[in-house]
Amino acid sequence: MRMIAALLVLVSHQFALSGRPEPRFVGEDSFGHLGVLIFFSISGYLVTSSWLKDPHVLRFVARRVLRMAPALCVSMPLTLAVIASFGMTGFPDNPRHLTNGSLWTVPYEVYCYAGLLVAGVATRRPSIALAVASFGYLVFAEMRSETNFLAYFGVFFAAGSLLRAFPIGLKPLAILVTLTIGCALIHGDQTTLGLAFMVPPLTIVMGSQSWPGLRDISAIGDLSYGVYIYAWPVQQMGVAYMGRQTPYFELLAVTVPVTLALAAASWHLIEKNALRCKPGKKSDNPTSSRAAVDP
């Protein structure tokens, strides 16, 4: 599901980065935006699972740092070095000028981790506290007609967290109820809340199933994070060299395999090795294969 989310972002950004309008799936939300909501929903579910299994502040922080920082610390200078090696200083002639516009969501992910940590230290029910705080913050922002991405993404993270703490929300009847509420909210022009009722449970339920063909994808590694952090600069370079008028699928045919190759290198050379260093309880073996896939 993370890989699907990353590819949704990539495919959607290929439109925007070549000067084309991004397709929408509901209201003003693009498919790339849906991918980000899927990411936050999964993150809330898995990171809460990590905290519930081992509610230790320092180990929790170390796991989060080791999951995100090493790949970022390599990708950013590497991206700048590759761009410079082609004699470029940026993308001033492209429709979008940012070197890596996907990274703007990373701080919000970190804020969500911090919110869960604070809630976990302060209460015995961190998922409930996080959900109440996120929902209240979102309502406050909307009452003031403000666009607050921390409140927005926080609601989806909190929804994933709630589903981990209270698995009854993943039962068929509960799913039916939440989907009905979500559809009613979207119909009533409350798209954000409607999606918050629909995206997290559907994502977690689908991700919890064993799908023939897809269940073995982990054999090649978890490339989703690498796809997310490398796709934008690869696509920017593709547009810069091939031209914004290049047919969409021709651009995609070049940028997808290059991005996947970089994501695979990131996973096997950096991310996987960093995850082996994650601290565990004394009963855990930090060099086991489990350590490489735990949230």
Side-chain angles (χ1 to χ4, degrees), residues 33-61:
H33 196 69
L34 173 61
V36 174
L37 300 184
I38 291 173
F39 265 125
F40 274 89
S41 301
I42 294 174
S43 182
Y45 185 85
L46 293 181
V47 175
T48 298
S49 179
S50 178
W51 173 261
L52 294 177
K53 290 177 182 177
D54 183 21
H56 186 279
V57 173
L58 294 180
R59 288 196 292 265
F60 178 84
V61 172

Side-chain angles (χ1 to χ4, degrees), residues 137-280:
Y137 192 20
L138 179 65
V139 171
F140 176 75
E142 293 196 344
M143 286 176 62
R144 300 183 60 177
S145 299
E146 295 178 350
T147 300
N148 191 304
F149 287 107
L150 177 57
Y152 184 39
F153 294 141
V155 165
F156 288 84
F157 184 92
S161 179
L162 278 175
L163 290 171
R164 173 59 183 85
F166 302 98
I168 192 172
L170 299 173
K171 299 294 184 181
L173 180 58
I175 294 291
L176 179 61
V177 171
T178 55
L179 292 182
T180 301
I181 294 173
C183 289
L185 287 168
I186 292 175
H187 184 70
D189 202 27
Q190 296 293 324
T191 304
T192 299
L193 289 178
L195 291 176
F197 272 92
M198 299 177 72
V199 173
L202 285 178
T203 297
I204 303 306
V205 165
M206 292 176 66
S208 300
Q209 303 303 311
S210 179
W211 301 89
L214 291 180
R215 59 190 172 206
D216 299 323
I217 195 172
S218 60
I220 65 173
D222 183 0
L223 309 189
S224 57
Y225 188 43
V227 169
Y228 191 75
I229 62 178
Y230 281 107
W232 182 292
V234 168
Q235 291 173 302
Q236 283 284 60
M237 293 193 69
V239 171
Y241 275 91
M242 299 172 69
R244 60 184 295 179
Q245 301 303 325
T246 304
Y248 172 83
F249 286 105
E250 188 174 329
L251 284 168
L252 206 64
V254 172
T255 57
V256 168
V258 173
T259 300
L260 290 176
L262 289 169
S266 178
W267 170 256
H268 289 287
L269 299 178
I270 302 164
E271 297 170 54
K272 183 169 65 175
N273 293 319
L275 290 176
R276 290 197 177 106
C277 298
K278 289 194 306 181

